């Protein structure tokens, strides 16, 4: 069965520092890949997605992610974190050939930003 | 514009009771999804509607759970004989033509 692993449950960074959140997946073939952000009192919001093509994907709010097939990874990055980025981040995958919206999510990584 | 609306935002019920959770998707979105998010976990897929029909209900945990979407818009998730283990946030999402999911804020269900 497919699975998504986010190894870091909680990450703390200082404002202005760079950020990398890790995501690894276990699938038979390259799935569709997504990163979502969830802030308290708000619904999940899509940051970026990878379907095919360029393996470096740009998203909203200055985030980017890189798909590495050899490592089965899709890590999320941001060069300079803002206090408003504090939230929980979820990596998710969908099997090719099925609905884009039938997602398997990782456990999530909680990001704390120190001033 | 209006996003995905879910009601109630909070529901507290007693073990064994029946519960209905409602989802009003973004107008024009034909695909609708239900997920369940337990504390400290990522969301888990429950069921997916394309129009009025359930295209995939493989995530429903047992036959106490079912969902309907009779007119292809609003959907209701129904849970019979609730158990304490059903306590979670139930998320609804609708999908646009590019494949992006738009999530509601969820309905938090607490079973005492």
């Amino acid at each position: 069965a497919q699975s998504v692993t986010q190894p870091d449950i909680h990450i703390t960074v200082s404002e202005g520092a760079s950020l990398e959140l890790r995501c690894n997946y276990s699938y038979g073939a390259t799935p569709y890949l997504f990163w979502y952000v969830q802030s308290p009192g708000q619904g999940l919001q899509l940051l970026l997605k990878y379907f095919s093509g360029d393996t470096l994907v740009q998203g909203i709010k200055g985030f980017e992610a890189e798909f590495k097939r050899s490592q089965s990874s899709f890590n999320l990055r941001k060069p300079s974190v803002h206090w408003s980025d504090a939230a929980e981040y979820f990596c998710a995958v969908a099997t090719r050939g099925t609905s884009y919206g039938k997602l398997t999510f990782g456990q999530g990584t909680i990001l704390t930003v120190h001033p | 514009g209006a996003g995905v609306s879910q009601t109630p935002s909070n529901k507290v019920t007693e073990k064994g009771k029946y519960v209905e959770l409602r989802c009003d998707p973004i107008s024009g979105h034909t695909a609708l999804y239900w997920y369940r998010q337990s504390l400290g976990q990522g969301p888990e897929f429950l069921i997916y509607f394309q129009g009025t029909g359930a295209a995939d209900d493989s995530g429903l945990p047992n036959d106490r759970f079912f969902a309907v979407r009779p007119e292809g818009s609003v959907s209701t998730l129904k849970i019979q004989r609730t158990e304490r283990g059903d306590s979670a946030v139930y998320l609804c999402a609708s999908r646009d033509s590019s494949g992006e999911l738009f999530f509601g804020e969820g309905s938090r269900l607490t079973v005492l």
Side-chain angles (χ1 to χ4, degrees):
Chain A
Q2 54 266 33
S3 66
V4 179
T5 301
Q6 293 180 245
D8 304 304
I9 295 174
H10 196 168
I11 283 184
T12 300
V13 300
S14 297
E15 191 168 16
S18 64
L19 173 69
E20 182 169 31
L21 302 183
R22 296 183 290 164
C23 173
N24 292 93
Y25 62 88
S26 174
Y27 260 81
T30 301
Y32 302 124
L33 297 158
F34 306 81
W35 275 98
Y36 282 84
V37 60
Q38 187 174 43
S39 299
Q42 298 185 22
L44 284 157
Q45 181 182 23
L46 179 68
L47 287 176
L48 46 78
K49 61 182 184 282
Y50 173 77
F51 285 178
S52 65
D54 192 344
T55 57
L56 185 61
V57 181
Q58 301 298 319
I60 62 171
K61 304 184 180 185
F63 285 93
E64 66 178 27
E66 185 171 13
F67 166 57
K68 293 187 177 180
R69 184 190 309 272
S70 62
Q71 298 176 19
S72 297
S73 70
F74 188 57
N75 294 349
L76 182 72
R77 302 193 294 247
K78 187 169 185 177
S80 178
V81 170
H82 188 263
W83 63 267
S84 61
D85 293 323
E88 189 162 16
Y89 292 79
F90 292 93
C91 180
V93 303
T95 303
R96 290 182 183 271
T98 66
S99 167
Y100 294 139
K102 184 180 179 182
L103 303 176
T104 299
F105 283 84
Q107 191 172 7
T109 298
I110 298 170
L111 174 65
T112 298
V113 180
H114 280 168
Chain B
V4 176
S5 176
Q6 292 189 245
T7 55
S9 56
N10 278 285
K11 175 70 176 179
V12 180
T13 191
E14 294 179 343
K15 181 177 180 296
K17 298 291 188 184
Y18 170 80
V19 167
E20 289 190 352
L21 307 175
R22 175 190 168 106
C23 173
D24 199 342
I26 293 172
S27 178
H29 287 190
T30 57
L32 183 147
Y33 299 79
W34 283 99
Y35 284 80
R36 178 169 71 173
Q37 187 173 19
S38 300
L39 192 63
Q41 302 295 319
E44 295 179 299
F45 170 80
L46 294 177
I47 185 169
Y48 150 52
F49 287 89
Q50 183 61 50
T52 60
D56 185 338
D57 65 357
S58 61
L60 294 178
N62 52 59
D63 61 5
R64 294 186 298 105
F65 288 76
F66 64 103
V68 296
R69 196 185 184 199
E71 298 179 354
S73 178
V74 171
S75 176
T76 305
L77 179 66
K78 308 183 180 195
I79 310 173
Q80 297 178 317
R81 304 183 304 280
T82 52
E83 300 177 357
R84 292 192 180 87
D86 299 335
S87 296
V89 177
Y90 289 82
L91 300 170
C92 177
S94 63
R95 194 189 80 209
D96 70 7
S97 57
S98 76
E100 180 172 350
L101 286 185
F102 294 83
F103 283 85
E105 293 185 25
S107 292
R108 182 178 298 278
L109 175 65
T110 302
V111 182
L112 301 177

